[in-house]
Amino acid sequence: MSVRFQKYFLSQGQIALTTVFLIGSFIVLMALTLAFLSSSIVSSNRAVQSANRSLSVASAGVDDGVLRLIRNRSYTGSFRVTVDGDTADVLIENGSVPNQVVITSTSTVMGSQKTVQAIVSISSITGQVSVVSINQL
């Protein structure tokens, strides 16, 4: 074998080795990117689920507050509602307008806190309890 022939094959081997390293590095980079994106998507899905769960538990607290007012129209105070292991702290207090009651329910699920507030009107003539508004704060 001539020297020229050996140099040609050595340079071809170096080019092939460099190409293999570049392609391998690119594949590893793509795998790491996909792993990061998939973990980010899973984390964001958990955050959305906990926010929805917290809102549902807070709404259940408002519903329970309305039921307590229907049973006892003069009820004021605070209590705790538990829904499948998650809790909502509910406060029922007189509103700024006569015959109006404000129900505030706050729930925290996996770091996501939601508050729902309902304004309830109680008729002084019939005693009928009606929800005027429900808002998420």
Side-chain angles (χ1 to χ4, degrees):
M1 251 192 231
S2 71
V3 173
R4 188 173 175 194
F5 189 69
Q6 287 177 345
K7 285 184 181 180
Y8 175 76
F9 278 112
L10 285 177
S11 70
Q12 289 297 323
Q14 289 172 347
I15 291 172
L17 184 62
T18 304
T19 304
V20 167
F21 279 143
L22 283 174
I23 291 172
S25 298
F26 181 74
I27 290 171
V28 168
L29 179 65
M30 293 304 294
L32 289 174
T33 303
L34 288 174
F36 175 74
L37 287 175
S38 65
S39 69
S40 296
I41 290 170
V42 168
S43 295
S44 66
N45 283 342
R46 286 185 184 151
V48 168
Q49 287 176 349
S50 65
N52 287 338
R53 177 77 178 162
S54 182
L55 183 59
S56 296
V57 173
S59 296
V62 167
D63 292 343
D64 196 47
V66 170
L67 287 174
R68 287 186 188 223
L69 282 175
I70 290 171
R71 293 180 186 139
N72 179 4
R73 289 170 186 78
S74 62
Y75 182 86
T76 57
S78 61
F79 59 94
R80 184 170 278 185
V81 175
T82 302
V83 179
D84 290 335
D86 299 318
T87 60
D89 295 319
V90 183
L91 174 65
I92 300 176
E93 57 190 353
N94 291 324
S96 58
V97 178
N99 298 326
Q100 194 177 60
V101 176
V102 178
I103 303 171
T104 306
S105 176
T106 303
S107 174
T108 304
V109 175
M110 292 174 41
S112 177
Q113 182 176 5
K114 297 293 180 181
T115 301
V116 177
Q117 188 176 62
I119 298 175
V120 178
S121 175
I122 301 174
S123 173
S124 59
I125 298 170
T126 63
Q128 179 181 0
V129 176
S130 58
V131 177
V132 176
S133 70
I134 297 178
N135 296 315
Q136 178 184 347
L137 302 179

